Amino acid sequence: MSKITKKAVKRGNMRLIQILEAKPKSFSILLSIFTVGLIGLIDYCISPEISVSILYLLPIGIAAWFVNQHTGFFIAVSSDITNLLVNQIQDQYHLHPLIHFWNALVILSFFLFVSHLLSQLKTTLINLEKLARTDNLTGLTNRGFFLDIVNSEIEKSLRHREPLTLAYFDVDNFKQINDQFGHSFGDRLLQIIAKSTTNTLRKIDVIARLGGDEFAILLPRTSYESAEVVLHRLHTVLLASMKKENLSVTFSIGAITFNNPPKSVAEIIEIADNLMYLAKKKGKNLLQHELCDWKVGSEEWKVVNSK
């Protein structure tokens, strides 16, 4: 098989997987049941000397991978029963019934093993993907995945001509808090911040921990005025969560809203980061928010409104 053919087959397989992933689980269940019946019919119509038992792995794999382990087990048992019935009907050698049942038991063990193996592999892949995208301490999106999301939202913003807001904030004097109360306390503080922020933002918003006590928030399709409301509410909620813990902890937030964002993710994050440090220079515990337009061709951005 040539490299071109292999690539075409691989793309076809990936496309098929994407289609099945997008379908509801009920579709995969019905597809598995239909495939078991189809294979059973083929098995019945062809010569009994030709075994097609291995084909039952297809519906078992669909059920185990795209639905769940229990459904995979159900399809495995259904496949084994179908195979047993066909073999008994086609028994031209008049074998002892126990032989058919023994063969069925052996095949069932193999089917169940494959179903279990596929289910565990799917679970492992999901966990690995989650670990690759998630910050271990807070459970938020990590830096790498956040940058990918921002890049995608920039393309959408430019394509649909929609505004985009990115905010950058951290804990004022976090190093002193760590030195005074210890790193375990600092970790707990970051977890409280993550939970409070997640509960305050909308489902379409994305919050990430970029490292240390630095957090970034992406507000897709959010204008300057709407972002002002969201960020002021977030600031209030964060201060209230600290007060609830009897802590005198404050936050500095820098935010940038683009009507026409630059294509560089690093550029946007750098601007938001600079605005956050500007808020610190002004006395900390502030929101420094600017509305900017990226001037295409001149490769520079222009401040339209600032607070």
Side-chain angles (χ1 to χ4, degrees):
M1 186 181 292
S2 65
K3 290 184 178 180
I4 296 178
T5 305
K6 288 181 179 179
K7 288 182 179 179
V9 172
K10 185 177 180 180
R11 284 197 297 268
N13 291 337
M14 291 299 296
R15 178 60 180 165
L16 179 60
I17 291 174
Q18 290 174 354
I19 291 174
L20 290 176
E21 288 282 6
K23 296 288 185 180
K25 291 185 178 181
S26 57
F27 176 84
S28 297
I29 295 174
L30 293 175
L31 178 61
S32 300
I33 295 173
F34 171 78
T35 308
V36 169
L38 180 62
I39 296 172
L41 180 61
I42 294 172
D43 196 8
Y44 175 76
C45 294
I46 65 176
S47 173
E49 282 82 8
I50 302 175
S51 175
V52 295
S53 300
I54 195 170
L55 296 181
Y56 288 106
L57 292 178
L58 176 59
I60 293 171
I62 292 174
W65 191 269
F66 296 104
V67 187
N68 54 45
Q69 184 172 349
H70 297 297
T71 306
F73 281 5
F74 170 75
I75 297 299
V77 173
S78 301
S79 299
D80 190 57
I81 292 174
T82 303
N83 183 66
L84 172 63
L85 292 175
V86 171
N87 287 338
Q88 286 184 326
I89 294 172
Q90 292 183 330
D91 185 10
Q92 59 181 346
Y93 299 109
H94 304 291
L95 300 175
H96 193 284
L98 289 178
I99 295 178
H100 291 295
F101 284 105
W102 172 256
N103 290 338
L105 181 62
V106 173
I107 293 174
L108 177 61
S109 300
F110 176 67
F111 285 171
L112 292 177
F113 173 74
V114 172
S115 176
H116 175 73
L117 196 64
L118 286 173
S119 297
Q120 292 301 311
L121 178 61
K122 179 69 177 292
T123 301
T124 301
L125 289 176
I126 291 175
N127 290 336
L128 288 175
E129 185 177 0
K130 184 177 180 181
L131 287 173
R133 297 179 173 185
T134 306
D135 174 63
N136 292 332
L137 177 63
T138 61
L140 299 176
T141 301
N142 62 21
R143 183 184 184 89
F145 188 42
F146 181 74
L147 295 180
D148 291 339
I149 295 175
V150 174
N151 187 60
S152 177
E153 288 298 330
I154 288 174
E155 294 178 0
K156 292 179 183 179
S157 176
L158 292 172
R159 184 166 59 250
H160 301 294
R161 296 183 178 181
E162 295 175 329
L164 178 146
T165 299
L166 189 140
Y168 206 105
F169 76 92
D170 72 358
V171 182
D172 293 327
N173 304 317
F174 184 69
K175 185 178 183 303
Q176 296 179 13
I177 295 173
N178 264 340
D179 293 341
Q180 182 177 356
F181 300 102
H183 289 283
S184 59
F185 179 87
D187 290 345
R188 178 172 170 270
L189 178 62
L190 295 176
Q191 291 169 345
I192 294 173
I193 294 170
K195 183 178 180 180
S196 299
T197 306
T198 302
N199 292 338
T200 304
L201 297 178
R202 305 164 300 178
K203 290 184 178 180
I204 65 170
D205 301 330
V206 182
I207 174 173
R209 180 183 176 222
L210 302 186
D213 63 321
E214 296 181 343
F215 297 84
I217 301 172
L218 175 66
L219 306 176
R221 304 187 295 278
T222 306
S223 65
Y224 180 83
E225 292 76 15
S226 298
E228 277 281 300
V229 174
V230 173
L231 294 174
H232 277 296
R233 182 173 68 243
L234 173 63
H235 197 193
T236 302
V237 169
L238 287 174
L239 293 176
S241 66
M242 296 298 101
K243 186 177 181 180
K244 185 177 179 180
E245 299 290 328
N246 296 319
L247 298 172
S248 298
V249 176
T250 58
F251 303 88
S252 294
I253 305 175
I256 183 75
T257 297
F258 280 104
N259 289 326
N260 183 37
K263 294 183 178 180
S264 172
V265 177
E267 179 79 18
I268 294 178
I269 290 181
E270 182 181 359
I271 295 171
D273 188 25
N274 290 337
L275 289 173
M276 181 191 72
Y277 280 102
L278 180 59
K280 288 184 178 293
K281 289 180 180 179
K282 288 185 175 182
K284 301 179 180 179
N285 198 29
L286 296 172
L287 167 62
Q288 184 69 32
H289 186 195
E290 291 185 352
L291 172 63
C292 301
D293 269 327
W294 181 257
K295 298 172 67 176
V296 180
S298 63
E299 297 302 317
E300 62 181 17
W301 53 274
K302 176 180 67 175
V303 177
V304 178
N305 195 358
S306 177
K307 286 185 180 181

